[in-house]
PDB file of all heavy atoms in Angstrom:
ATOM      1  N   ARG A   1      27.122 -11.475 -41.105  1.00 70.00           N
ATOM      2  CA  ARG A   1      25.907 -11.169 -40.348  1.00 70.00           C
ATOM      3  C   ARG A   1      25.811  -9.702 -39.949  1.00 70.00           C
ATOM      4  O   ARG A   1      24.723  -9.148 -39.811  1.00 70.00           O
ATOM      5  CB  ARG A   1      25.890 -12.040 -39.098  1.00 70.00           C
ATOM      6  CG  ARG A   1      24.549 -12.607 -38.791  1.00 70.00           C
ATOM      7  CD  ARG A   1      24.677 -13.587 -37.699  1.00 70.00           C
ATOM      8  NE  ARG A   1      24.453 -12.842 -36.458  1.00 70.00           N
ATOM      9  CZ  ARG A   1      24.444 -13.379 -35.278  1.00 70.00           C
ATOM     10  NH1 ARG A   1      24.705 -14.641 -35.132  1.00 70.00           N
ATOM     11  NH2 ARG A   1      24.208 -12.669 -34.216  1.00 70.00           N
ATOM     12  N   SER A   2      26.953  -9.052 -39.748  1.00 74.00           N
ATOM     13  CA  SER A   2      26.944  -7.655 -39.303  1.00 74.00           C
ATOM     14  C   SER A   2      26.882  -6.660 -40.461  1.00 74.00           C
ATOM     15  O   SER A   2      26.781  -5.458 -40.237  1.00 74.00           O
ATOM     16  CB  SER A   2      28.179  -7.364 -38.459  1.00 74.00           C
ATOM     17  OG  SER A   2      29.358  -7.458 -39.241  1.00 74.00           O
ATOM     18  N   LEU A   3      26.932  -7.140 -41.686  1.00 77.00           N
ATOM     19  CA  LEU A   3      26.956  -6.252 -42.847  1.00 77.00           C
ATOM     20  C   LEU A   3      25.750  -5.315 -42.888  1.00 77.00           C
ATOM     21  O   LEU A   3      25.879  -4.124 -43.158  1.00 77.00           O
ATOM     22  CB  LEU A   3      27.038  -7.072 -44.133  1.00 77.00           C
ATOM     23  CG  LEU A   3      27.328  -6.313 -45.407  1.00 77.00           C
ATOM     24  CD1 LEU A   3      28.631  -5.515 -45.285  1.00 77.00           C
ATOM     25  CD2 LEU A   3      27.398  -7.266 -46.587  1.00 77.00           C
ATOM     26  N   SER A   4      24.567  -5.812 -42.596  1.00 77.00           N
ATOM     27  CA  SER A   4      23.366  -4.964 -42.641  1.00 77.00           C
ATOM     28  C   SER A   4      23.425  -3.856 -41.590  1.00 77.00           C
ATOM     29  O   SER A   4      22.895  -2.764 -41.796  1.00 77.00           O
ATOM     30  CB  SER A   4      22.097  -5.793 -42.457  1.00 77.00           C
ATOM     31  OG  SER A   4      22.094  -6.390 -41.172  1.00 77.00           O
ATOM     32  N   GLN A   5      24.081  -4.106 -40.467  1.00 75.00           N
ATOM     33  CA  GLN A   5      24.222  -3.077 -39.438  1.00 75.00           C
ATOM     34  C   GLN A   5      25.233  -2.017 -39.859  1.00 75.00           C
ATOM     35  O   GLN A   5      25.051  -0.839 -39.587  1.00 75.00           O
ATOM     36  CB  GLN A   5      24.638  -3.708 -38.117  1.00 75.00           C
ATOM     37  CG  GLN A   5      23.575  -4.615 -37.546  1.00 75.00           C
ATOM     38  CD  GLN A   5      24.091  -5.420 -36.374  1.00 75.00           C
ATOM     39  OE1 GLN A   5      25.259  -5.768 -36.321  1.00 75.00           O
ATOM     40  NE2 GLN A   5      23.211  -5.714 -35.433  1.00 75.00           N
ATOM     41  N   ILE A   6      26.294  -2.432 -40.502  1.00 76.00           N
ATOM     42  CA  ILE A   6      27.327  -1.489 -40.936  1.00 76.00           C
ATOM     43  C   ILE A   6      26.812  -0.608 -42.063  1.00 76.00           C
ATOM     44  O   ILE A   6      27.044   0.601 -42.077  1.00 76.00           O
ATOM     45  CB  ILE A   6      28.596  -2.255 -41.363  1.00 76.00           C
ATOM     46  CG1 ILE A   6      29.239  -2.907 -40.146  1.00 76.00           C
ATOM     47  CG2 ILE A   6      29.585  -1.339 -42.070  1.00 76.00           C
ATOM     48  CD1 ILE A   6      30.346  -3.880 -40.472  1.00 76.00           C
ATOM     49  N   ILE A   7      26.116  -1.183 -43.011  1.00 77.00           N
ATOM     50  CA  ILE A   7      25.622  -0.430 -44.164  1.00 77.00           C
ATOM     51  C   ILE A   7      24.662   0.673 -43.733  1.00 77.00           C
ATOM     52  O   ILE A   7      24.662   1.767 -44.295  1.00 77.00           O
ATOM     53  CB  ILE A   7      24.963  -1.381 -45.186  1.00 77.00           C
ATOM     54  CG1 ILE A   7      26.042  -2.226 -45.866  1.00 77.00           C
ATOM     55  CG2 ILE A   7      24.158  -0.617 -46.226  1.00 77.00           C
ATOM     56  CD1 ILE A   7      25.510  -3.320 -46.753  1.00 77.00           C
ATOM     57  N   THR A   8      23.839   0.410 -42.744  1.00 79.00           N
ATOM     58  CA  THR A   8      22.838   1.392 -42.319  1.00 79.00           C
ATOM     59  C   THR A   8      23.345   2.345 -41.246  1.00 79.00           C
ATOM     60  O   THR A   8      22.618   3.245 -40.834  1.00 79.00           O
ATOM     61  CB  THR A   8      21.582   0.674 -41.788  1.00 79.00           C
ATOM     62  OG1 THR A   8      21.957  -0.139 -40.677  1.00 79.00           O
ATOM     63  CG2 THR A   8      20.948  -0.180 -42.872  1.00 79.00           C
ATOM     64  N   TYR A   9      24.599   2.181 -40.796  1.00 78.00           N
ATOM     65  CA  TYR A   9      25.141   3.027 -39.731  1.00 78.00           C
ATOM     66  C   TYR A   9      25.297   4.473 -40.211  1.00 78.00           C
ATOM     67  O   TYR A   9      25.808   4.732 -41.288  1.00 78.00           O
ATOM     68  CB  TYR A   9      26.494   2.495 -39.265  1.00 78.00           C
ATOM     69  CG  TYR A   9      27.150   3.363 -38.217  1.00 78.00           C
ATOM     70  CD1 TYR A   9      26.644   3.418 -36.931  1.00 78.00           C
ATOM     71  CD2 TYR A   9      28.253   4.151 -38.529  1.00 78.00           C
ATOM     72  CE1 TYR A   9      27.225   4.214 -35.963  1.00 78.00           C
ATOM     73  CE2 TYR A   9      28.849   4.956 -37.569  1.00 78.00           C
ATOM     74  CZ  TYR A   9      28.331   4.976 -36.294  1.00 78.00           C
ATOM     75  OH  TYR A   9      28.904   5.776 -35.348  1.00 78.00           O
ATOM     76  N   ASP A  10      24.847   5.411 -39.420  1.00 81.00           N
ATOM     77  CA  ASP A  10      24.966   6.841 -39.727  1.00 81.00           C
ATOM     78  C   ASP A  10      25.646   7.519 -38.536  1.00 81.00           C
ATOM     79  O   ASP A  10      25.026   7.747 -37.506  1.00 81.00           O
ATOM     80  CB  ASP A  10      23.578   7.430 -39.955  1.00 81.00           C
ATOM     81  CG  ASP A  10      23.599   8.933 -40.234  1.00 81.00           C
ATOM     82  OD1 ASP A  10      24.696   9.522 -40.316  1.00 81.00           O
ATOM     83  OD2 ASP A  10      22.512   9.522 -40.362  1.00 81.00           O
ATOM     84  N   ALA A  11      26.908   7.835 -38.689  1.00 81.00           N
ATOM     85  CA  ALA A  11      27.678   8.437 -37.590  1.00 81.00           C
ATOM     86  C   ALA A  11      27.139   9.809 -37.198  1.00 81.00           C
ATOM     87  O   ALA A  11      27.415  10.293 -36.104  1.00 81.00           O
ATOM     88  CB  ALA A  11      29.145   8.550 -37.993  1.00 81.00           C
ATOM     89  N   PHE A  12      26.393  10.435 -38.064  1.00 87.00           N
ATOM     90  CA  PHE A  12      25.885  11.786 -37.796  1.00 87.00           C
ATOM     91  C   PHE A  12      24.394  11.797 -37.496  1.00 87.00           C
ATOM     92  O   PHE A  12      23.747  12.834 -37.582  1.00 87.00           O
ATOM     93  CB  PHE A  12      26.199  12.703 -38.977  1.00 87.00           C
ATOM     94  CG  PHE A  12      27.641  12.675 -39.394  1.00 87.00           C
ATOM     95  CD1 PHE A  12      27.989  12.573 -40.721  1.00 87.00           C
ATOM     96  CD2 PHE A  12      28.661  12.737 -38.457  1.00 87.00           C
ATOM     97  CE1 PHE A  12      29.322  12.557 -41.113  1.00 87.00           C
ATOM     98  CE2 PHE A  12      29.986  12.716 -38.826  1.00 87.00           C
ATOM     99  CZ  PHE A  12      30.315  12.621 -40.164  1.00 87.00           C
ATOM    100  N   HIS A  13      23.844  10.639 -37.124  1.00 88.00           N
ATOM    101  CA  HIS A  13      22.423  10.545 -36.800  1.00 88.00           C
ATOM    102  C   HIS A  13      22.054  11.578 -35.734  1.00 88.00           C
ATOM    103  O   HIS A  13      22.683  11.669 -34.699  1.00 88.00           O
ATOM    104  CB  HIS A  13      22.114   9.126 -36.300  1.00 88.00           C
ATOM    105  CG  HIS A  13      20.685   8.900 -35.971  1.00 88.00           C
ATOM    106  ND1 HIS A  13      19.691   8.904 -36.927  1.00 88.00           N
ATOM    107  CD2 HIS A  13      20.058   8.681 -34.794  1.00 88.00           C
ATOM    108  CE1 HIS A  13      18.534   8.687 -36.353  1.00 88.00           C
ATOM    109  NE2 HIS A  13      18.728   8.554 -35.054  1.00 88.00           N
ATOM    110  N   LYS A  14      21.060  12.372 -36.019  1.00 91.00           N
ATOM    111  CA  LYS A  14      20.544  13.409 -35.123  1.00 91.00           C
ATOM    112  C   LYS A  14      21.493  14.604 -34.945  1.00 91.00           C
ATOM    113  O   LYS A  14      21.344  15.380 -34.006  1.00 91.00           O
ATOM    114  CB  LYS A  14      20.175  12.835 -33.753  1.00 91.00           C
ATOM    115  CG  LYS A  14      19.072  11.804 -33.819  1.00 91.00           C
ATOM    116  CD  LYS A  14      17.753  12.439 -34.111  1.00 91.00           C
ATOM    117  CE  LYS A  14      16.639  11.416 -34.026  1.00 91.00           C
ATOM    118  NZ  LYS A  14      15.365  11.960 -34.387  1.00 91.00           N
ATOM    119  N   ALA A  15      22.466  14.773 -35.846  1.00 94.00           N
ATOM    120  CA  ALA A  15      23.368  15.932 -35.766  1.00 94.00           C
ATOM    121  C   ALA A  15      22.575  17.231 -35.854  1.00 94.00           C
ATOM    122  O   ALA A  15      22.928  18.229 -35.223  1.00 94.00           O
ATOM    123  CB  ALA A  15      24.411  15.885 -36.884  1.00 94.00           C
ATOM    124  N   GLU A  16      21.494  17.209 -36.598  1.00 94.00           N
ATOM    125  CA  GLU A  16      20.673  18.414 -36.749  1.00 94.00           C
ATOM    126  C   GLU A  16      19.955  18.784 -35.448  1.00 94.00           C
ATOM    127  O   GLU A  16      19.499  19.913 -35.287  1.00 94.00           O
ATOM    128  CB  GLU A  16      19.669  18.258 -37.891  1.00 94.00           C
ATOM    129  CG  GLU A  16      18.743  17.079 -37.783  1.00 94.00           C
ATOM    130  CD  GLU A  16      19.344  15.750 -38.227  1.00 94.00           C
ATOM    131  OE1 GLU A  16      20.436  15.702 -38.810  1.00 94.00           O
ATOM    132  OE2 GLU A  16      18.694  14.733 -37.953  1.00 94.00           O
ATOM    133  N   ALA A  17      19.896  17.874 -34.509  1.00 94.00           N
ATOM    134  CA  ALA A  17      19.268  18.153 -33.220  1.00 94.00           C
ATOM    135  C   ALA A  17      20.276  18.324 -32.091  1.00 94.00           C
ATOM    136  O   ALA A  17      20.106  19.194 -31.236  1.00 94.00           O
ATOM    137  CB  ALA A  17      18.298  17.020 -32.863  1.00 94.00           C
ATOM    138  N   PHE A  18      21.322  17.510 -32.090  1.00 94.00           N
ATOM    139  CA  PHE A  18      22.204  17.451 -30.924  1.00 94.00           C
ATOM    140  C   PHE A  18      23.596  18.055 -31.107  1.00 94.00           C
ATOM    141  O   PHE A  18      24.260  18.346 -30.118  1.00 94.00           O
ATOM    142  CB  PHE A  18      22.359  16.007 -30.453  1.00 94.00           C
ATOM    143  CG  PHE A  18      21.054  15.394 -30.015  1.00 94.00           C
ATOM    144  CD1 PHE A  18      20.544  14.286 -30.657  1.00 94.00           C
ATOM    145  CD2 PHE A  18      20.332  15.946 -28.972  1.00 94.00           C
ATOM    146  CE1 PHE A  18      19.343  13.723 -30.264  1.00 94.00           C
ATOM    147  CE2 PHE A  18      19.132  15.399 -28.568  1.00 94.00           C
ATOM    148  CZ  PHE A  18      18.635  14.289 -29.212  1.00 94.00           C
ATOM    149  N   LEU A  19      24.061  18.244 -32.334  1.00 95.00           N
ATOM    150  CA  LEU A  19      25.414  18.777 -32.550  1.00 95.00           C
ATOM    151  C   LEU A  19      25.353  20.304 -32.514  1.00 95.00           C
ATOM    152  O   LEU A  19      25.298  20.976 -33.530  1.00 95.00           O
ATOM    153  CB  LEU A  19      26.000  18.273 -33.869  1.00 95.00           C
ATOM    154  CG  LEU A  19      27.451  18.646 -34.147  1.00 95.00           C
ATOM    155  CD1 LEU A  19      28.377  18.295 -32.991  1.00 95.00           C
ATOM    156  CD2 LEU A  19      27.935  17.982 -35.419  1.00 95.00           C
ATOM    157  N   ARG A  20      25.346  20.840 -31.294  1.00 96.00           N
ATOM    158  CA  ARG A  20      25.171  22.281 -31.083  1.00 96.00           C
ATOM    159  C   ARG A  20      26.450  22.983 -30.663  1.00 96.00           C
ATOM    160  O   ARG A  20      26.505  24.201 -30.632  1.00 96.00           O
ATOM    161  CB  ARG A  20      24.090  22.514 -30.035  1.00 96.00           C
ATOM    162  CG  ARG A  20      22.755  21.962 -30.449  1.00 96.00           C
ATOM    163  CD  ARG A  20      21.661  22.309 -29.462  1.00 96.00           C
ATOM    164  NE  ARG A  20      20.378  21.831 -29.916  1.00 96.00           N
ATOM    165  CZ  ARG A  20      19.634  22.420 -30.842  1.00 96.00           C
ATOM    166  NH1 ARG A  20      20.058  23.505 -31.426  1.00 96.00           N
ATOM    167  NH2 ARG A  20      18.470  21.906 -31.195  1.00 96.00           N
ATOM    168  N   GLN A  21      27.477  22.240 -30.308  1.00 97.00           N
ATOM    169  CA  GLN A  21      28.732  22.852 -29.880  1.00 97.00           C
ATOM    170  C   GLN A  21      29.495  23.397 -31.096  1.00 97.00           C
ATOM    171  O   GLN A  21      29.182  23.055 -32.229  1.00 97.00           O
ATOM    172  CB  GLN A  21      29.586  21.864 -29.082  1.00 97.00           C
ATOM    173  CG  GLN A  21      30.040  20.658 -29.852  1.00 97.00           C
ATOM    174  CD  GLN A  21      29.095  19.484 -29.727  1.00 97.00           C
ATOM    175  OE1 GLN A  21      27.885  19.642 -29.715  1.00 97.00           O
ATOM    176  NE2 GLN A  21      29.637  18.302 -29.652  1.00 97.00           N
ATOM    177  N   PRO A  22      30.487  24.266 -30.865  1.00 98.00           N
ATOM    178  CA  PRO A  22      31.280  24.796 -31.976  1.00 98.00           C
ATOM    179  C   PRO A  22      31.856  23.647 -32.809  1.00 98.00           C
ATOM    180  O   PRO A  22      32.254  22.610 -32.274  1.00 98.00           O
ATOM    181  CB  PRO A  22      32.383  25.586 -31.289  1.00 98.00           C
ATOM    182  CG  PRO A  22      31.796  25.981 -29.975  1.00 98.00           C
ATOM    183  CD  PRO A  22      30.923  24.824 -29.581  1.00 98.00           C
ATOM    184  N   LEU A  23      31.884  23.853 -34.103  1.00 98.00           N
ATOM    185  CA  LEU A  23      32.294  22.788 -35.023  1.00 98.00           C
ATOM    186  C   LEU A  23      33.256  23.331 -36.063  1.00 98.00           C
ATOM    187  O   LEU A  23      32.999  24.370 -36.677  1.00 98.00           O
ATOM    188  CB  LEU A  23      31.050  22.226 -35.717  1.00 98.00           C
ATOM    189  CG  LEU A  23      31.260  21.189 -36.817  1.00 98.00           C
ATOM    190  CD1 LEU A  23      31.815  19.889 -36.221  1.00 98.00           C
ATOM    191  CD2 LEU A  23      29.946  20.926 -37.551  1.00 98.00           C
ATOM    192  N   LEU A  24      34.353  22.637 -36.236  1.00 98.00           N
ATOM    193  CA  LEU A  24      35.296  22.904 -37.327  1.00 98.00           C
ATOM    194  C   LEU A  24      35.426  21.624 -38.119  1.00 98.00           C
ATOM    195  O   LEU A  24      35.802  20.583 -37.573  1.00 98.00           O
ATOM    196  CB  LEU A  24      36.660  23.327 -36.794  1.00 98.00           C
ATOM    197  CG  LEU A  24      37.794  23.394 -37.828  1.00 98.00           C
ATOM    198  CD1 LEU A  24      37.495  24.438 -38.907  1.00 98.00           C
ATOM    199  CD2 LEU A  24      39.116  23.687 -37.148  1.00 98.00           C
ATOM    200  N   VAL A  25      35.099  21.684 -39.393  1.00 98.00           N
ATOM    201  CA  VAL A  25      35.237  20.547 -40.285  1.00 98.00           C
ATOM    202  C   VAL A  25      36.392  20.845 -41.226  1.00 98.00           C
ATOM    203  O   VAL A  25      36.454  21.920 -41.813  1.00 98.00           O
ATOM    204  CB  VAL A  25      33.938  20.305 -41.088  1.00 98.00           C
ATOM    205  CG1 VAL A  25      34.112  19.172 -42.085  1.00 98.00           C
ATOM    206  CG2 VAL A  25      32.769  20.036 -40.167  1.00 98.00           C
ATOM    207  N   ILE A  26      37.320  19.890 -41.344  1.00 98.00           N
ATOM    208  CA  ILE A  26      38.438  20.021 -42.277  1.00 98.00           C
ATOM    209  C   ILE A  26      38.401  18.809 -43.192  1.00 98.00           C
ATOM    210  O   ILE A  26      38.342  17.672 -42.724  1.00 98.00           O
ATOM    211  CB  ILE A  26      39.787  20.089 -41.538  1.00 98.00           C
ATOM    212  CG1 ILE A  26      39.825  21.308 -40.617  1.00 98.00           C
ATOM    213  CG2 ILE A  26      40.944  20.125 -42.540  1.00 98.00           C
ATOM    214  CD1 ILE A  26      41.069  21.416 -39.757  1.00 98.00           C
ATOM    215  N   ALA A  27      38.425  19.058 -44.489  1.00 98.00           N
ATOM    216  CA  ALA A  27      38.371  17.970 -45.465  1.00 98.00           C
ATOM    217  C   ALA A  27      39.255  18.299 -46.650  1.00 98.00           C
ATOM    218  O   ALA A  27      39.487  19.467 -46.963  1.00 98.00           O
ATOM    219  CB  ALA A  27      36.936  17.754 -45.934  1.00 98.00           C
ATOM    220  N   GLY A  28      39.733  17.260 -47.300  1.00 98.00           N
ATOM    221  CA  GLY A  28      40.501  17.434 -48.525  1.00 98.00           C
ATOM    222  C   GLY A  28      39.574  17.569 -49.715  1.00 98.00           C
ATOM    223  O   GLY A  28      38.563  16.864 -49.796  1.00 98.00           O
ATOM    224  N   SER A  29      39.904  18.440 -50.637  1.00 98.00           N
ATOM    225  CA  SER A  29      39.041  18.654 -51.800  1.00 98.00           C
ATOM    226  C   SER A  29      38.944  17.415 -52.679  1.00 98.00           C
ATOM    227  O   SER A  29      37.957  17.231 -53.388  1.00 98.00           O
ATOM    228  CB  SER A  29      39.541  19.844 -52.630  1.00 98.00           C
ATOM    229  OG  SER A  29      40.818  19.560 -53.182  1.00 98.00           O
ATOM    230  N   GLU A  30      39.944  16.562 -52.634  1.00 97.00           N
ATOM    231  CA  GLU A  30      39.966  15.355 -53.463  1.00 97.00           C
ATOM    232  C   GLU A  30      39.623  14.087 -52.674  1.00 97.00           C
ATOM    233  O   GLU A  30      39.770  12.987 -53.190  1.00 97.00           O
ATOM    234  CB  GLU A  30      41.348  15.188 -54.107  1.00 97.00           C
ATOM    235  CG  GLU A  30      41.799  16.379 -54.937  1.00 97.00           C
ATOM    236  CD  GLU A  30      40.810  16.743 -56.043  1.00 97.00           C
ATOM    237  OE1 GLU A  30      40.333  15.837 -56.742  1.00 97.00           O
ATOM    238  OE2 GLU A  30      40.494  17.942 -56.180  1.00 97.00           O
ATOM    239  N   ALA A  31      39.184  14.248 -51.445  1.00 96.00           N
ATOM    240  CA  ALA A  31      38.868  13.089 -50.605  1.00 96.00           C
ATOM    241  C   ALA A  31      37.581  12.422 -51.084  1.00 96.00           C
ATOM    242  O   ALA A  31      36.572  13.097 -51.292  1.00 96.00           O
ATOM    243  CB  ALA A  31      38.728  13.519 -49.149  1.00 96.00           C
ATOM    244  N   GLY A  32      37.627  11.121 -51.215  1.00 95.00           N
ATOM    245  CA  GLY A  32      36.420  10.389 -51.575  1.00 95.00           C
ATOM    246  C   GLY A  32      35.351  10.490 -50.503  1.00 95.00           C
ATOM    247  O   GLY A  32      34.168  10.312 -50.764  1.00 95.00           O
ATOM    248  N   SER A  33      35.767  10.806 -49.299  1.00 92.00           N
ATOM    249  CA  SER A  33      34.848  10.926 -48.166  1.00 92.00           C
ATOM    250  C   SER A  33      34.372  12.360 -47.935  1.00 92.00           C
ATOM    251  O   SER A  33      33.660  12.612 -46.969  1.00 92.00           O
ATOM    252  CB  SER A  33      35.540  10.415 -46.898  1.00 92.00           C
ATOM    253  OG  SER A  33      36.727  11.159 -46.664  1.00 92.00           O
ATOM    254  N   LYS A  34      34.742  13.293 -48.820  1.00 97.00           N
ATOM    255  CA  LYS A  34      34.375  14.704 -48.601  1.00 97.00           C
ATOM    256  C   LYS A  34      32.859  14.894 -48.518  1.00 97.00           C
ATOM    257  O   LYS A  34      32.378  15.745 -47.777  1.00 97.00           O
ATOM    258  CB  LYS A  34      34.952  15.611 -49.677  1.00 97.00           C
ATOM    259  CG  LYS A  34      34.660  17.091 -49.398  1.00 97.00           C
ATOM    260  CD  LYS A  34      35.320  17.997 -50.400  1.00 97.00           C
ATOM    261  CE  LYS A  34      34.971  19.441 -50.147  1.00 97.00           C
ATOM    262  NZ  LYS A  34      33.537  19.737 -50.319  1.00 97.00           N
ATOM    263  N   TRP A  35      32.115  14.086 -49.230  1.00 95.00           N
ATOM    264  CA  TRP A  35      30.659  14.218 -49.189  1.00 95.00           C
ATOM    265  C   TRP A  35      30.128  14.044 -47.773  1.00 95.00           C
ATOM    266  O   TRP A  35      29.123  14.652 -47.402  1.00 95.00           O
ATOM    267  CB  TRP A  35      29.996  13.240 -50.154  1.00 95.00           C
ATOM    268  CG  TRP A  35      30.108  11.802 -49.756  1.00 95.00           C
ATOM    269  CD1 TRP A  35      31.110  10.928 -50.080  1.00 95.00           C
ATOM    270  CD2 TRP A  35      29.203  11.077 -48.929  1.00 95.00           C
ATOM    271  NE1 TRP A  35      30.888   9.701 -49.510  1.00 95.00           N
ATOM    272  CE2 TRP A  35      29.712   9.759 -48.798  1.00 95.00           C
ATOM    273  CE3 TRP A  35      28.022  11.392 -48.287  1.00 95.00           C
ATOM    274  CZ2 TRP A  35      29.066   8.770 -48.053  1.00 95.00           C
ATOM    275  CZ3 TRP A  35      27.384  10.411 -47.535  1.00 95.00           C
ATOM    276  CH2 TRP A  35      27.900   9.119 -47.432  1.00 95.00           C
ATOM    277  N   MET A  36      30.809  13.232 -46.962  1.00 93.00           N
ATOM    278  CA  MET A  36      30.382  13.052 -45.578  1.00 93.00           C
ATOM    279  C   MET A  36      30.606  14.329 -44.768  1.00 93.00           C
ATOM    280  O   MET A  36      29.783  14.686 -43.928  1.00 93.00           O
ATOM    281  CB  MET A  36      31.132  11.885 -44.939  1.00 93.00           C
ATOM    282  CG  MET A  36      30.804  10.556 -45.513  1.00 93.00           C
ATOM    283  SD  MET A  36      31.735   9.301 -44.633  1.00 93.00           S
ATOM    284  CE  MET A  36      31.858   8.069 -45.888  1.00 93.00           C
ATOM    285  N   SER A  37      31.715  15.007 -45.025  1.00 96.00           N
ATOM    286  CA  SER A  37      31.987  16.276 -44.344  1.00 96.00           C
ATOM    287  C   SER A  37      30.971  17.326 -44.766  1.00 96.00           C
ATOM    288  O   SER A  37      30.486  18.101 -43.937  1.00 96.00           O
ATOM    289  CB  SER A  37      33.406  16.752 -44.674  1.00 96.00           C
ATOM    290  OG  SER A  37      34.352  15.809 -44.255  1.00 96.00           O
ATOM    291  N   ASP A  38      30.651  17.369 -46.062  1.00 97.00           N
ATOM    292  CA  ASP A  38      29.626  18.301 -46.554  1.00 97.00           C
ATOM    293  C   ASP A  38      28.287  18.030 -45.876  1.00 97.00           C
ATOM    294  O   ASP A  38      27.594  18.961 -45.446  1.00 97.00           O
ATOM    295  CB  ASP A  38      29.461  18.163 -48.075  1.00 97.00           C
ATOM    296  CG  ASP A  38      30.686  18.575 -48.862  1.00 97.00           C
ATOM    297  OD1 ASP A  38      31.441  19.452 -48.399  1.00 97.00           O
ATOM    298  OD2 ASP A  38      30.893  18.011 -49.955  1.00 97.00           O
ATOM    299  N   ASP A  39      27.951  16.760 -45.753  1.00 95.00           N
ATOM    300  CA  ASP A  39      26.684  16.366 -45.129  1.00 95.00           C
ATOM    301  C   ASP A  39      26.645  16.762 -43.658  1.00 95.00           C
ATOM    302  O   ASP A  39      25.663  17.331 -43.183  1.00 95.00           O
ATOM    303  CB  ASP A  39      26.492  14.854 -45.295  1.00 95.00           C
ATOM    304  CG  ASP A  39      25.188  14.360 -44.699  1.00 95.00           C
ATOM    305  OD1 ASP A  39      24.143  14.986 -44.944  1.00 95.00           O
ATOM    306  OD2 ASP A  39      25.223  13.335 -43.990  1.00 95.00           O
ATOM    307  N   LEU A  40      27.726  16.460 -42.939  1.00 96.00           N
ATOM    308  CA  LEU A  40      27.777  16.825 -41.516  1.00 96.00           C
ATOM    309  C   LEU A  40      27.642  18.330 -41.348  1.00 96.00           C
ATOM    310  O   LEU A  40      26.871  18.802 -40.516  1.00 96.00           O
ATOM    311  CB  LEU A  40      29.079  16.358 -40.877  1.00 96.00           C
ATOM    312  CG  LEU A  40      29.309  16.856 -39.440  1.00 96.00           C
ATOM    313  CD1 LEU A  40      28.246  16.300 -38.504  1.00 96.00           C
ATOM    314  CD2 LEU A  40      30.696  16.502 -38.970  1.00 96.00           C
TER     315      LEU A  40
END
């Protein structure tokens, strides 16, 4: 039942408006999740 909520979850929702503090992103070049770091 919760699958539809998980699939649509966006941890960075409104980052373009509210994430104004200093930010350091560290990611591995071979990480399957690197696209999320690029997006953030």
Side-chain angles (χ1 to χ4, degrees):
R1 222 171 92 178
S2 66
L3 191 56
S4 63
Q5 294 170 328
I6 292 170
I7 289 172
T8 60
Y9 177 71
D10 178 3
F12 309 134
H13 182 67
K14 298 288 186 184
E16 57 279 350
F18 298 119
L19 186 51
R20 299 185 177 282
Q21 63 268 39
L23 175 67
L24 170 62
V25 176
I26 299 176
S29 65
E30 303 304 315
S33 58
K34 184 175 177 296
W35 69 271
M36 293 181 207
S37 300
D38 295 330
D39 181 47
L40 172 64

